[in-house]
Amino acid sequence: MTVYTAIDSPLGELLLVGKESATAKGGTALASLSLPGQKGAAVVQDGWRRDPAAFAEIGSQLASYFEGRLMHFEIECVGGGTEFQRRVWNALEEIPYGETATYGEIAERVGTSAVGVRAVGTAIGRNPLLVVRPCHRVIGADGALRGYAGGLERKELLLGLEGAPAAS
């Protein structure tokens, strides 16, 4: 069963979508976390059940993160994406809190050439778990903020929250 809810955050209202899971802490595995106005944001579908209680654990972790008390999420996530996207998304999860990596560094980590940087950027742009899977920690080779589905102002806010080095 697909469940969803919306919660307030410093970024605006977050839409959480998940699947009931016997193994997930709190009983829900996260399938999507999207922001208002986000490119490719989830859209509530017929047959989904609104269930704020199903996201109590996830919401608690997000609140702790936004309060600066949580540096690593422990949230079961629903699979998805292509094999290449999953490799890129796994590389995102290896970027430590408060640090950044470049698109080129992610390309290197997933074993693609410099030519593959654009494919890496596309895969990062299709990340369905903003904030939780930290695509906001990826910056341009020149240190500039580049491409964030939720908007560059939100990317800057998240990096500032984490105390990441100032980007230009």
Side-chain angles (χ1 to χ4, degrees):
M1 166 69 63
T2 300
V3 292
Y4 74 96
T5 196
I7 62 171
D8 288 327
S9 83
L11 302 176
E13 187 177 76
L14 304 178
L15 176 62
L16 306 177
V17 180
K19 300 273 186 186
E20 294 173 339
S21 169
T23 58
K25 194 173 181 183
T28 302
L30 190 62
S32 174
L33 185 158
S34 53
L35 302 163
Q38 172 189 328
K39 179 181 173 185
V43 177
V44 176
Q45 304 291 314
D46 289 339
W48 290 8
R49 187 182 78 227
R50 181 170 166 67
D51 187 355
F55 294 92
E57 173 61 29
I58 295 168
S60 175
Q61 288 189 46
L62 285 165
S64 292
Y65 169 80
F66 287 122
E67 291 167 1
R69 297 183 295 117
L70 182 75
M71 296 172 36
H72 179 75
F73 292 100
E74 293 184 16
I75 296 173
E76 182 178 312
C77 300
V78 175
T82 66
E83 188 272 329
F84 179 74
Q85 287 171 333
R86 288 190 301 275
R87 285 191 356 243
V88 170
W89 298 342
N90 287 337
L92 296 177
E93 293 176 358
E94 294 172 5
I95 306 169
Y97 180 95
E99 296 184 24
T100 58
T102 67
Y103 290 92
E105 289 168 341
I106 298 298
E108 190 175 304
R109 289 179 194 176
V110 299
T112 189
S113 67
V115 176
V117 170
R118 181 165 290 210
V120 165
T122 300
I124 291 171
R126 293 211 172 108
N127 171 20
L129 301 174
L130 297 191
V131 182
V132 171
R133 186 180 291 137
C135 55
H136 60 275
R137 296 179 188 154
V138 182
I139 60 174
D142 60 357
L145 299 185
R146 304 247 189 266
Y148 186 62
L152 292 181
E153 66 286 343
R154 289 185 178 120
K155 183 172 192 166
E156 186 172 27
L157 187 147
L158 290 168
L159 291 173
L161 172 82
E162 293 184 8
S168 47

